[in-house]
């Protein structure tokens, strides 16, 4: 069963461009991972400091492996310096049919 991840980030004042650059730099290495089906950052049109990343992974193990990659560990260090609050990560699966 695939896993959808929604990660929400809020840049500290003046750090909006660094946040966008950091998340855009994650696209290519993430989608090259064998378990990554999609990786898309979005900006809130009403608040440029707020960005959301929507990811899809083949399974929870693929996400666990993503969290151990060099590119994720690097961006985590960057985000620790530029976010106004901790990143929120939601893991979602397809709702069962009624």
């Amino acid at each position: 069963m695939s896993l959808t991840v929604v990660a929400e980030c809020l840049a500290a004042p003046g750090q909006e461009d660094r946040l966008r650059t950091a998340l855009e730099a994650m696209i290519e290495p993430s989608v090259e991972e064998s378990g990554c089906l999609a990786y898309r950052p979005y900006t809130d049109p009403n608040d440029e400091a707020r960005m959301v990343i929507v990811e899809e992974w083949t399974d929870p193990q693929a996400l666990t492996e993503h969290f151990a990659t060099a590119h994720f560990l690097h961006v985590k260090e960057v985000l620790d310096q530029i976010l106004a609050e901790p990143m929120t990560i939601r893991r979602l699966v397809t709702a069962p049919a009624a």
Side-chain angles (χ1 to χ4, degrees):
M1 174 185 296
S2 69
L3 178 69
T4 299
V5 174
V6 178
E8 299 179 45
C9 301
L10 179 64
Q15 298 297 319
E16 298 85 1
D17 287 340
R18 284 188 71 194
L19 175 59
R20 186 171 33 263
T21 299
L23 296 180
E24 288 174 352
M26 287 290 292
I27 297 170
E28 186 174 336
S30 296
V31 297
E32 289 178 354
E33 292 177 53
S34 62
C36 184
L37 302 172
Y39 188 97
R40 295 182 190 94
Y42 297 89
T43 302
D44 183 333
N46 299 310
D47 182 358
E48 67 179 18
R50 187 167 304 280
M51 292 192 71
V52 174
I53 307 96
V54 179
E55 310 168 28
E56 187 174 2
W57 298 90
T58 54
D59 55 39
Q61 181 61 35
L63 180 62
T64 298
E65 291 171 7
H66 170 68
F67 288 153
T69 63
H71 55 273
F72 180 84
L73 295 173
H74 172 74
V75 81
K76 184 180 181 314
E77 287 181 14
V78 172
L79 295 179
D80 286 346
Q81 299 172 21
I82 65 174
L83 293 183
E85 58 190 37
M87 177 172 40
T88 301
I89 299 175
R90 290 183 174 79
R91 293 167 177 86
L92 308 168
V93 295
T94 303

